[in-house]
Amino acid sequence: MGRLQGKVAIITGGGRGIGRATAELFAREGAQVHVTDVNPPDAPYDDPAIRFSIMDVANEGQWAELVEGIVARHGAVDILVNNAGIGGSQLPLADENLADWDRVIAVNQTGVFLGMRAVLPGMRAKRAGSIVNFSSIWGIAAVPGAAAYHASKAAVRHLTKHAAVTYAPDNVRVNSIHPGIIATPMVLEDQAEETSAGVVAATPLGRMGQPIELANGVLFLASDESSFMTGAELVIDGGYLAQ
């Protein structure tokens, strides 16, 4: 029997990268997986346990529609993985413009808030649930530039702790995951090569992580194997923050 047998999961930003790897792993482990993204997936999903829909995580109404549909179909949401995120301009604070700032905060921070708020009533009523929020090593440590990204990921780190201590009496667990540099399209295609090279050079293991290496961590936090973990930070970064 799979580690998520009988569970119903939502994974945002699941069209590619870490989100897609997580969705495919969850399905192999027995979950019914509802994947959302703002764009269609890079390729169709082979597993019929994965359902995809277009959604903007910063849209409150779309969250309500998604969760209502899943509850009508399955009865409950057991797992939420708030993976969707954008890098933004990567500019330092004094150079950032308000429009770019607002969009990064909307996706990376408000999207996490809306997702948790949408699933919490059902999880609390059932007295069971696991939420995994994607922060970053840059939600813990800083580098020059990327002001909006730093701010949003640090907010996710602490919002996770708030939800963890607030809803622990309801047996709803909330943990954050903190990737280092991972070989995703956002890094390989959207991030400046010199930025990526600098982070790899500062990573003790000397390479980028692979999406499946993050997905395995998400699976642990989502499953009952982590049943005594809430408010925790799972860092998967090749040793970056150990220095």
Side-chain angles (χ1 to χ4, degrees), residues 53-68:
S53 59
I54 297 286
M55 190 181 83
D56 179 356
V57 294
N59 186 300
E60 181 179 15
Q62 290 180 21
W63 268 112
E65 183 179 355
L66 174 72
V67 173
E68 287 170 7

Side-chain angles (χ1 to χ4, degrees), residues 5-27:
Q5 195 67 39
K7 303 288 189 181
V8 178
I10 297 172
I11 300 174
T12 67
R16 57 183 193 166
I18 297 168
R20 185 183 182 109
T22 302
E24 291 170 341
L25 179 59
F26 276 25

Side-chain angles (χ1 to χ4, degrees), residues 63-149:
W63 268 112
E65 183 179 355
L66 174 72
V67 173
E68 287 170 7
I70 294 171
V71 170
R73 183 181 183 86
H74 298 288
V77 176
D78 301 296
I79 300 162
L80 169 64
V81 179
N82 278 312
N83 165 72
I86 58 175
S89 69
Q90 302 287 301
L91 292 172
L93 189 152
D95 300 323
E96 184 62 278
N97 68 75
L98 185 58
D100 285 344
W101 169 274
D102 284 346
R103 185 56 184 162
V104 171
I105 299 301
V107 174
N108 295 2
Q109 180 177 339
T110 305
V112 171
F113 157 71
L114 290 173
M116 289 198 291
R117 197 181 64 172
V119 302
L120 275 167
M123 289 183 174
R124 295 178 71 192
K126 190 179 180 182
R127 294 192 56 77
S130 179
I131 298 173
V132 183
N133 294 327
F134 267 77
S135 179
S136 168
I137 54 172
W138 286 356
I140 298 174
V143 293
Y149 189 82

Side-chain angles (χ1 to χ4, degrees), residues 137-212:
I137 54 172
W138 286 356
I140 298 174
V143 293
Y149 189 82
H150 276 115
S152 67
K153 292 301 186 178
V156 168
R157 179 191 185 199
H158 211 72
L159 187 60
T160 296
K161 295 181 186 298
H162 159 79
V165 300
T166 302
Y167 302 108
D170 300 308
N171 198 37
V172 177
R173 300 185 300 106
V174 191
N175 295 289
S176 59
I177 194 160
H178 299 258
I181 189 162
I182 310 300
T184 65
M186 190 170 80
V187 169
L188 299 175
E189 299 171 11
D190 302 337
Q191 185 165 278
E193 289 185 15
E194 58 269 26
T195 300
S196 298
V199 179
V200 170
T203 299
L205 287 182
R207 65 173 176 87
M208 293 186 188
Q210 295 300 312
I212 189 61

